[in-house]
Amino acid sequence: MRNMFSDAPRTTLTAFYWAFLLYLLLPLTLMMAMSFKDANFVAFPIGDWTLDWYAKVMQDKQFLEACLYSVMIAAASTLAATTLGTWIAMLIVAEGIKGQVIIFALACLPAVVPGMISAISMRIFISTIDMPTGTAAIILGHTVHAVPFVVVMALTRLRSMPGNLVDAARDLGADSVVAFFRVTLPYLGPALVGGMIFCVLLSIDDFVRTFFLGGYRPTLPMLIFAKVQGGMSPEINAMATLVLVVTAAVGLYAEYLTRRARTR
Amino acid sequence: MQPVFQFDNVTKSYGKHVAVENLNLSIEAGKFVTLLGPSGCGKSTSLRMLGGFETPNSGRILLGGKDVTRVPPNKRNVNIVFQDYALFPHMTIAKNIAFGLELKGFDNQHIHRRVNELLELVQLQDYAKRLPSELSGGQRQRVALMRALAPDPEVLLLDEPLSALDAKLRQQMQIELKSIQEKTGKTFMFVTHDQEEALTMSDTIVVMNKGRIEQMGDPNTLYGRPGSVFVANFIGETNLLRSTVVGTEGDTAALSWNGVTIKAAPGGLAPKAGDNLYVVLRPEAIHCSADEPATGNRIKGKVRQRVFKGNHTSLSVEVGDGALLNALVHPSDVAQLSGDDVWVGWKPETTTVIPDRHAHN
């Protein structure tokens, strides 16, 4: 009897865990399954299986262009966010700079402001400064959104860095620029790679900001959104499955990298 | 001979806290000099000022005769071995050692040769391609030393580099450091709070206290003839006898200590009757015997505690009005003592006399 009672919380927890996993994976599994259906509409039963939808997606010029566009925006905003974020993190740990708490709070703000608010304010901002909507505006929006994540990751790594590594470099004849590129940056390396991959995922995934700041050229999420409005088709499922597989792989790799960085 | 480095009336303070006050120090080339003192005595600040990481509030620092007071660390020809080594974790051992050489603009061939030469000096040739994380503490220590020596600095600064090692390895490294210093002929400035390290390796010890130099000299002098109560207490174990002058006769003074009369040579102090003096009596200078010694100071006492320490026994002997004297006795001598009644004796010339005015330190 005692055993049954003491095991109860654990059993419940395990049950919740499985329920959660099912809830998480079932929709994804269904979506993926439908992408292999040999028919024009998304519904059960699946009946015949096919890879035709994938073949079609791979030849879909719109899809390929959207992919390229998304990747380009992700690359640009990641580069900008990583540079900015690293710089801000360096400022925060630097000696003799006042208001470091404020810098940190400001840098983290974009991560907590609701996407919609930040998208609208960004839109108002760019029209105030007469900046056209489109690629540059999207990159700007994505960069601002991604900076906090880089700051936090770089900061964690910087704080674990022995203080006199840079002193040692200076002592051996490096000026502060050489010390940064030859000692600090390599030390930050793993954290930055992790942060960059995270930035890429944030950018590829972003809908709200792109929606408000974009022009006529669709990014991947915009394209899928437009297609869904035209009615569900297994082709969309195939697209979504491709995006899912690629981003999940990249995300897991980033997690692996940051984990390795933490244990080293 | 021109000193290799020189502190000229250097003062450094942080807000109200004065870390180093009017420091004057000049060291000849090729010496192993140790700054010794408790934490907060200003020894590390002095090292960082010589390294270029701190700027004095006043005074000058000269390196090879040139004023380097405001020269940044990367433009000074001194290198530091840091307390936690500060090896670059992402570079191999060879790359770590090559770092300073590369920045000095040597060609690859020269760098390669020099790195190998240094690795051979500490028998780490087989570790050239390893990362610092794959080395033991002692090995990292050696690499840090070689990295700092590689660019051929005028002075090598060592900031408590042995404190992270265990006792046995530390002793081994003391000997190794000293032999590397002798082999390379470099000037080493070593900073430590460990008096044993200082005594083992140094040509010159500079004892610092509260930002000032308390005493400077070779290890023998500092141990045998401490100039202040602080130095006497800081270096080695000491019986410090606060006594009053009763009378003088030639260069010996009769002193009243703790109800007994002892003799000591006050040197150039020329005390008058009634003056207070400290007599520094090292535990190993005391002889304990069952019979009364024929000459020298001798007091009858009772053994209160015996601590066996292997190669010697530490006796705590109660003498006079209840004062305790600490004596180091050879175990075979202890065996000859019957019971707790002993005579403690010492030769007056083995003691040092310090005037009382240093007492407030």
Side-chain angles (χ1 to χ4, degrees):
Chain A
M1 287 301 273
R2 257 189 74 216
N3 265 349
M4 223 178 90
F5 278 113
S6 60
D7 279 349
R10 238 181 98 176
T11 318
T12 319
L13 210 64
T14 317
F16 269 118
Y17 172 70
W18 286 110
F20 170 72
L21 219 61
L22 196 71
Y23 170 72
L24 186 76
L25 293 181
L26 196 61
L28 290 178
T29 317
L30 283 179
M31 181 201 75
M32 288 162 95
M34 287 299 168
S35 70
F36 298 104
K37 182 180 168 168
D38 192 5
N40 272 332
F41 51 94
V42 177
F44 274 111
I46 287 178
D48 296 325
W49 300 79
T50 178
L51 283 173
D52 285 357
W53 295 114
Y54 284 91
K56 202 175 164 206
V57 166
M58 292 320 286
Q59 283 156 12
D60 183 343
K61 240 180 142 184
Q62 255 189 323
F63 172 77
L64 294 177
E65 260 170 29
C67 276
L68 197 69
Y69 190 46
S70 271
V71 167
M72 189 205 96
I73 286 174
S77 62
T78 298
L79 208 65
T82 309
T83 313
L84 255 171
T86 309
W87 181 62
I88 293 172
M90 295 284 293
L91 268 186
I92 292 171
V93 294
E95 277 170 40
I97 288 182
K98 292 204 173 102
Q100 287 164 327
V101 180
I102 297 169
I103 300 176
F104 180 68
L106 283 177
C108 287
L109 205 59
V112 290
V113 170
M116 181 65 102
I117 308 288
S118 113
I120 293 172
S121 57
M122 193 69 85
R123 173 65 184 261
I124 295 170
F125 173 71
I126 62 160
S127 52
T128 313
I129 62 167
D130 277 336
M131 185 178 179
T133 54
T135 313
I138 299 175
I139 291 172
L140 186 69
H142 287 192
T143 303
V144 172
H145 183 47
V147 160
F149 299 95
V150 179
V151 171
V152 169
M153 289 180 98
L155 212 51
T156 315
R157 184 82 178 146
L158 273 177
R159 292 222 159 107
S160 76
M161 179 167 164
N164 45 27
L165 281 189
V166 172
D167 280 358
R170 302 259 291 135
D171 184 61
L172 290 163
D175 58 30
S176 38
V177 178
V178 173
F180 175 77
F181 281 106
R182 292 205 52 187
V183 174
T184 311
L185 204 57
Y187 188 84
L188 283 177
L192 288 187
V193 172
M196 286 169 91
I197 292 176
F198 205 72
C199 290
V200 168
L201 293 183
L202 279 178
S203 169
I204 298 264
D205 177 55
D206 181 79
F207 180 80
V208 189
R209 288 171 188 79
T210 317
F211 184 79
F212 278 89
L213 299 170
Y216 296 106
R217 229 173 129 184
T219 61
L220 205 49
M222 307 282 289
L223 181 77
I224 293 175
F225 177 71
K227 284 201 184 256
V228 168
Q229 282 191 321
M232 288 301 281
S233 132
E235 190 196 345
I236 301 173
N237 290 46
M239 263 181 210
T241 304
L242 283 174
V243 174
L244 176 73
V245 169
V246 171
T247 52
V250 172
L252 285 174
Y253 183 65
E255 172 62 19
Y256 161 76
L257 274 185
T258 42
R259 197 174 289 260
R260 207 181 57 171
R262 238 177 282 137
T263 52
R264 261 225 308 229
Chain B
M1 193 170 151
Q2 193 187 33
V4 62
F5 71 87
Q6 199 176 350
F7 284 83
D8 179 16
N9 218 20
V10 168
T11 296
K12 174 72 184 173
S13 51
Y14 301 95
K16 280 188 180 159
H17 171 70
V18 181
V20 172
E21 199 175 350
N22 299 328
L23 181 70
N24 283 296
L25 177 66
S26 85
I27 297 296
E28 278 171 37
K31 293 278 185 206
F32 195 120
V33 54
T34 299
L35 298 191
L36 173 67
S39 60
C41 72
K43 57 189 191 302
S44 289
T45 308
S46 306
L47 177 135
R48 287 182 66 82
M49 282 195 286
L50 188 52
F53 290 99
E54 304 281 349
T55 312
N57 298 85
S58 64
R60 292 187 311 155
I61 294 171
L62 304 177
L63 190 65
K66 271 181 285 180
D67 188 341
V68 294
T69 317
R70 271 157 228 291
V71 175
N74 50 323
K75 302 242 166 77
R76 293 188 187 202
N77 202 8
V78 294
N79 290 124
I80 302 182
V81 178
F82 290 87
Q83 189 168 7
D84 56 2
Y85 320 141
L87 296 176
F88 305 127
H90 57 284
M91 293 183 201
T92 61
I93 299 314
K95 276 275 166 201
N96 262 283
I97 297 176
F99 192 85
L101 296 167
E102 285 169 13
L103 288 169
K104 278 207 159 181
F106 289 112
D107 63 78
N108 285 338
Q109 222 178 354
H110 176 91
I111 293 174
H112 189 72
R113 209 173 333 114
R114 178 93 175 124
V115 168
N116 283 339
E117 180 189 304
L118 289 166
L119 282 172
E120 260 170 54
L121 187 63
V122 285
Q123 280 121 45
L124 286 175
Q125 307 92 305
D126 302 340
Y127 294 82
K129 297 248 159 66
R130 306 262 186 105
L131 288 173
S133 56
E134 297 169 290
L135 267 59
S136 72
Q139 290 170 331
R140 279 184 224 179
Q141 170 69 77
R142 292 184 182 93
V143 174
L145 186 64
M146 290 308 120
R147 183 180 69 175
L149 274 176
D152 203 23
E154 281 178 77
V155 184
L156 187 78
L157 309 177
L158 302 106
D159 188 7
E160 308 218 16
L162 305 183
S163 57
L165 304 175
D166 62 60
K168 198 143 199 181
L169 199 54
R170 193 159 28 185
Q171 284 185 344
Q172 201 183 315
M173 279 307 295
Q174 285 172 15
I175 294 164
E176 198 168 327
L177 264 182
K178 180 68 186 162
S179 93
I180 288 171
Q181 190 264 332
E182 280 165 0
K183 259 186 240 167
T184 55
K186 285 259 159 269
T187 314
F188 277 33
M189 185 168 104
F190 189 88
V191 160
T192 184
H193 62 269
D194 185 322
Q195 45 104 11
E196 192 206 311
E197 278 176 17
L199 291 174
T200 314
M201 296 184 285
S202 318
D203 295 314
T204 304
I205 300 177
V206 180
V207 182
M208 290 187 74
N209 183 28
K210 294 179 180 166
R212 289 169 168 277
I213 294 180
E214 190 80 25
Q215 193 180 353
M216 184 174 157
D218 63 275
N220 258 319
T221 310
L222 283 181
Y223 186 82
R225 298 275 171 245
S228 70
V229 171
F230 179 84
V231 175
N233 275 327
F234 200 78
I235 298 183
E237 280 187 66
T238 304
N239 295 296
L240 208 56
L241 320 181
R242 188 169 193 269
S243 21
T244 312
V245 178
V246 181
T248 51
E249 198 188 310
D251 45 3
T252 342
L255 306 163
S256 155
W257 168 70
N258 183 44
V260 293
T261 301
I262 56 173
K263 286 189 172 133
L269 291 176
K272 298 186 298 288
D275 283 359
N276 286 327
L277 293 173
Y278 279 100
V279 176
V280 177
L281 174 59
R282 296 290 183 188
E284 68 275 13
I286 298 179
H287 294 279
C288 292
S289 53
D291 304 317
E292 186 176 350
T295 57
N297 290 313
R298 46 200 184 272
I299 315 172
K300 208 166 161 52
K302 268 191 190 315
V303 176
R304 288 297 175 217
Q305 201 182 25
R306 297 160 199 258
V307 181
F308 178 67
K309 289 186 173 169
N311 56 358
H312 67 264
T313 298
S314 173
L315 293 185
S316 196
V317 185
E318 188 181 326
V319 293
D321 298 341
L324 288 174
L325 279 181
N326 185 20
L328 287 191
V329 186
H330 196 268
S332 64
D333 293 342
V334 178
Q336 288 170 14
L337 302 174
S338 56
D340 287 342
D341 290 323
V342 289
W343 281 92
V344 292
W346 70 89
K347 296 190 175 105
E349 61 269 25
T350 58
T351 58
T352 307
V353 176
I354 302 169
D356 194 21
R357 66 183 135 87
H358 282 226
H360 59 266
N361 284 345

